Coordinates of all heavy atoms in Angstrom, one line a residue:
F592 N -19.8 -8.8 0.8 CA -19.6 -8.7 2.3 C -20.9 -8.0 2.9 O -21.1 -6.8 2.9 CB -18.3 -7.8 2.5 CG -17.9 -7.9 3.9 CD1 -16.9 -8.8 4.3 CD2 -18.3 -7.0 4.9 CE1 -16.5 -8.8 5.6 CE2 -17.9 -7.0 6.2 CZ -16.9 -7.9 6.5
T594 N -23.0 -6.7 6.0 CA -22.7 -6.3 7.4 C -24.0 -5.7 7.9 O -24.8 -5.1 7.2 CB -21.6 -5.2 7.5 OG1 -21.6 -4.5 8.8 CG2 -21.7 -4.1 6.4
G595 N -24.3 -5.8 9.2 CA -25.5 -5.3 9.8 C -25.6 -5.9 11.2 O -24.8 -6.8 11.6
L596 N -26.6 -5.4 12.0 CA -26.8 -5.8 13.3 C -27.1 -7.3 13.5 O -27.6 -7.9 12.4 CB -27.9 -5.0 14.0 CG -27.6 -3.5 14.2 CD1 -28.9 -2.8 14.5 CD2 -26.6 -3.3 15.3
F638 N -16.3 -11.4 22.1 CA -16.8 -10.2 21.4 C -16.2 -8.9 21.8 O -16.8 -7.9 21.7 CB -18.4 -10.3 21.6 CG -19.0 -11.4 20.8 CD1 -19.1 -12.7 21.3 CD2 -19.4 -11.1 19.5 CE1 -19.7 -13.6 20.5 CE2 -20.0 -12.1 18.7 CZ -20.1 -13.4 19.2
K640 N -13.6 -5.8 21.5 CA -13.2 -5.1 20.2 C -12.1 -5.8 19.5 O -12.1 -6.1 18.3 CB -12.8 -3.7 20.6 CG -12.5 -2.8 19.3 CD -12.4 -1.3 19.7 CE -12.5 -0.4 18.5 NZ -11.4 -0.4 17.6
R643 N -13.3 -9.1 17.9 CA -14.1 -8.9 16.8 C -13.2 -8.5 15.6 O -13.4 -8.9 14.4 CB -15.1 -7.8 17.0 CG -16.3 -8.1 17.9 CD -17.1 -6.9 18.1 NE -18.0 -6.9 19.2 CZ -19.3 -7.3 19.2 NH1 -19.9 -7.6 18.0 NH2 -20.1 -7.3 20.3
E644 N -12.2 -7.7 15.8 CA -11.3 -7.3 14.8 C -10.6 -8.5 14.2 O -10.5 -8.6 13.0 CB -10.3 -6.2 15.3 CG -10.9 -4.8 15.2 CD -10.1 -3.7 15.7 OE1 -8.9 -4.0 16.2 OE2 -10.5 -2.6 15.8
I647 N -12.9 -10.6 12.0 CA -13.3 -9.9 10.7 C -12.0 -10.0 9.8 O -12.2 -10.3 8.6 CB -13.8 -8.5 10.9 CG1 -15.0 -8.4 11.7 CG2 -14.0 -7.9 9.5 CD1 -16.1 -9.4 11.2
P668 N -20.8 -11.4 8.5 CA -20.6 -11.1 10.0 C -21.3 -9.8 10.4 O -21.7 -9.0 9.4 CB -19.1 -11.0 10.1 CG -18.7 -10.4 8.8 CD -19.7 -10.8 7.8
I669 N -21.3 -9.5 11.6 CA -21.9 -8.1 12.0 C -20.8 -7.1 11.5 O -21.2 -6.1 10.9 CB -22.0 -8.0 13.5 CG1 -23.1 -9.0 14.0 CG2 -22.3 -6.6 13.9 CD1 -23.3 -9.0 15.5
A670 N -19.6 -7.4 11.7 CA -18.5 -6.4 11.3 C -18.8 -5.0 11.7 O -19.0 -4.2 10.8 CB -18.2 -6.6 9.8
P671 N -18.8 -4.7 13.0 CA -19.3 -3.4 13.4 C -18.4 -2.2 13.2 O -18.9 -1.1 13.4 CB -19.6 -3.6 14.9 CG -18.6 -4.7 15.3 CD -18.4 -5.6 14.1
Y672 N -17.1 -2.4 12.9 CA -16.2 -1.3 12.9 C -15.8 -0.9 11.5 O -15.3 -1.7 10.7 CB -14.9 -1.6 13.8 CG -15.3 -2.1 15.1 CD1 -14.8 -3.3 15.5 CD2 -16.1 -1.4 16.0 CE1 -15.0 -3.8 16.8 CE2 -16.4 -1.8 17.2 CZ -15.9 -3.0 17.6 OH -16.2 -3.6 18.9
T673 N -15.9 0.5 11.2 CA -15.6 1.0 9.9 C -14.1 0.7 9.5 O -13.9 0.3 8.4 CB -15.7 2.5 10.0 OG1 -17.0 2.8 10.5 CG2 -15.6 3.2 8.6
A674 N -13.2 0.9 10.5 CA -11.8 0.7 10.1 C -11.5 -0.7 9.7 O -10.8 -0.9 8.8 CB -10.9 1.2 11.3
T675 N -12.1 -1.6 10.4 CA -11.8 -3.1 10.1 C -12.4 -3.4 8.8 O -11.8 -4.1 7.9 CB -12.4 -4.0 11.2 OG1 -12.4 -3.4 12.4 CG2 -11.6 -5.4 11.2
R676 N -13.6 -2.9 8.5 CA -14.3 -3.2 7.2 C -13.4 -2.6 6.1 O -13.3 -3.2 5.0 CB -15.7 -2.6 7.2 CG -16.7 -3.4 8.0 CD -18.1 -2.9 7.7 NE -18.3 -1.5 7.8 CZ -18.9 -0.9 8.8 NH1 -19.3 -1.6 9.9 NH2 -19.1 0.4 8.9
T722 N -23.7 -5.9 20.5 CA -23.8 -4.9 19.4 C -25.1 -4.2 19.3 O -26.2 -4.9 19.3 CB -23.5 -5.5 18.0 OG1 -22.3 -6.2 18.2 CG2 -23.3 -4.4 16.9
G723 N -25.1 -2.9 19.4 CA -26.3 -2.1 19.3 C -26.9 -1.8 20.6 O -27.6 -0.8 20.8
D726 N -22.6 -2.0 22.8 CA -21.4 -2.0 22.0 C -21.7 -1.3 20.7 O -22.9 -1.6 20.2 CB -21.0 -3.5 21.8 CG -19.4 -3.6 21.8 OD1 -18.7 -3.2 22.7 OD2 -18.9 -4.1 20.7
P727 N -20.8 -0.6 20.1 CA -21.2 0.2 18.9 C -21.4 -0.6 17.6 O -20.8 -1.6 17.5 CB -20.0 1.2 18.8 CG -18.9 0.4 19.4 CD -19.4 -0.4 20.5
Y728 N -22.2 -0.1 16.8 CA -22.3 -0.5 15.4 C -22.0 0.7 14.5 O -22.9 1.6 14.5 CB -23.6 -1.2 15.0 CG -23.5 -1.6 13.5 CD1 -22.9 -2.7 13.1 CD2 -24.2 -0.8 12.6 CE1 -22.7 -3.1 11.8 CE2 -24.1 -1.2 11.2 CZ -23.4 -2.3 10.8 OH -23.3 -2.6 9.5
E729 N -21.0 0.8 13.9 CA -20.7 2.0 13.1 C -21.2 1.8 11.6 O -20.7 0.9 10.9 CB -19.1 2.3 13.0 CG -18.6 2.6 14.3 CD -17.0 2.5 14.4 OE1 -16.4 2.3 13.3 OE2 -16.5 2.5 15.5
E730 N -22.3 2.5 11.3 CA -23.0 2.2 10.0 C -22.1 2.5 8.8 O -21.4 3.6 8.8 CB -24.2 3.0 9.9 CG -25.3 2.7 10.9 CD -26.7 3.1 10.6 OE1 -26.8 4.0 9.6 OE2 -27.6 2.7 11.3
P731 N -22.0 1.7 7.8 CA -21.2 2.0 6.6 C -21.8 3.2 5.9 O -23.0 3.4 5.8 CB -21.5 0.7 5.7 CG -22.1 -0.3 6.6 CD -22.7 0.4 7.7

Side-chain angles (χ1 to χ4, degrees):
F592 191 92
T594 167
L596 292 167
F638 288 87
K640 183 166 197 291
R643 287 180 199 258
E644 274 173 5
I647 300 307
I669 295 179
Y672 309 123
T673 308
T675 328
R676 288 194 304 260
T722 307
D726 216 57
Y728 178 78
E729 299 164 7
E730 294 199 350

